[in-house]
Every structure is written in C-alpha cells, then in structure tokens.
Amino acid sequence: MIRVFLFFIAFTFTIGNVLSQKLYEWKPPAVNFAVRNDISTNDTVFLIIKDRRVSPEKLKSDTDSKQILSSIISDIKRSFPNVLIIDKLTPKDGELNILINLSSYSAGFGTEISAGIGMIGGNIGSFIFPKGKWNAITAITCTIIKSNKKESKDFSNISSKDNLWGYKSSRKALEETYSSTINQLLLYIEDSLIL
C-alpha cells in the first residue's frame, strides 16, 4: 500500500508545481489480449478491486471510478472465460482471492511534470517525464492469496506523446499505458491460476 502511494506521489508531485495543471482521464480502451480458453480451475476465484487513487483538484474526466474498475473486471473475466470469477468487497477466507488496487490512471501535459523518484515495478527508481509532451501513467497492484500464501506485484507503464494532436495525444498515451498494464496483470493472474 505504501509503495502504491509513493508511486502516485512521485508522478503527481514531481519537480515543478503540478497542482497548477489539469490531469485528464478517459474511459479505458478495449484491450487486445489473449483469451485463455485452456485455463480452468475447480476453485472459484474471488476478485476484489478498489480504486486507491488520490484525485487531484484539477481533474478533467469523461469517466468515473466505477467505469474504470468495471473495465478492469470485464477484461479479467473475458481473458479467463473458463474460470468462475466472482466480484466481492472483501476477501473470502481459505479461498483463491485476487485483490487489485488501482493507484494511478491519468495523463498530464509535461511542461511542469519533468522528473520524479518513486516506485517502478516494485523497485525504487527515478524517471523523467519529457517537457512539452503529454505524459500518461497507469499503475496497478495485484495481490494473490492462495493456500494462505500472499504474493503482491506492482504493474505500471508510462508513455509520452508529442502534443501534435492535443488531447488526442494525451488520450493515446493513456490508452497505451492502460493496455500494457492490463496485459501484464493478466499474465500474472494466469501464472497464479496454473501453479
């Protein structure tokens, strides 16, 4: 949880005054991924998903938290059609639980978003957001609880686009980060189901 928070802080409060700028979010795109028809389990999988983002005051959005979380749930269920996945609000003891926390899903113009230090894929690192470009990030943490063992992994992707098409460039960057992050998440869930 602390790692997720640090990662978001690094993106939102980087060098410069990000609060004077708007951040943008759009409805998540349809993601292309492999449908895992060959994976099935006798266990019911309980999926718990939460939005842990700290929303800035200046956020422009054509979607809401429920729609973003619903897209993630839909992508997981479509990717594993032969697995019974049930949405829950809390983990179920003694069962296979997948807990997903959305920690970042936004894009901003990089004039003042230039550099930061935070968590990248679970490791502390530094990164540069190009000035004069649209910079987007999607970050998710997934925790698998199976046979009383708990394992967590962070997934994040950053994309930068020139301001050639204005908000369309921003949207494209955010779509790229979302698609890449979801595909990484699905591979991680696949590994947990077949082991």
Side-chain angles (χ1 to χ4, degrees), residues 10-57:
F11 178 71
T12 307
F13 299 102
T14 56
I15 296 172
N17 183 5
V18 172
L19 295 177
S20 65
Q21 298 206 85
K22 286 185 183 174
L23 290 178
Y24 299 85
E25 65 182 21
W26 289 272
K27 181 181 175 189
V31 177
N32 291 326
F33 51 75
V35 176
R36 288 123 168 120
N37 287 317
D38 56 330
I39 296 176
S40 62
T41 177
N42 293 330
D43 297 326
T44 299
V45 176
F46 294 95
L47 179 64
I48 301 94
I49 184 163
K50 299 190 179 186
D51 189 345
R52 299 294 190 200
R53 297 175 297 158
V54 178
S55 294
E57 290 178 19

Side-chain angles (χ1 to χ4, degrees), residues 134-145:
W134 285 103
N135 300 302
I137 184 169
T138 300
I140 291 174
T141 298
C142 180
T143 301
I144 307 280
I145 303 172

Side-chain angles (χ1 to χ4, degrees), residues 99-157:
L99 291 74
I100 297 173
N101 289 312
L102 176 65
S103 55
S104 186
Y105 177 75
S106 59
F109 195 68
T111 306
E112 297 188 19
I113 302 174
S114 57
I117 298 174
M119 300 302 291
I120 302 174
N123 300 310
I124 293 179
S126 62
F127 42 94
I128 304 246
F129 296 106
K131 292 184 177 187
K133 291 189 176 193
W134 285 103
N135 300 302
I137 184 169
T138 300
I140 291 174
T141 298
C142 180
T143 301
I144 307 280
I145 303 172
K146 185 177 182 182
S147 302
N148 297 322
K149 292 180 184 174
K150 186 189 252 187
E151 185 178 317
S152 293
K153 190 163 183 181
D154 299 322
F155 304 95
S156 61
N157 284 279

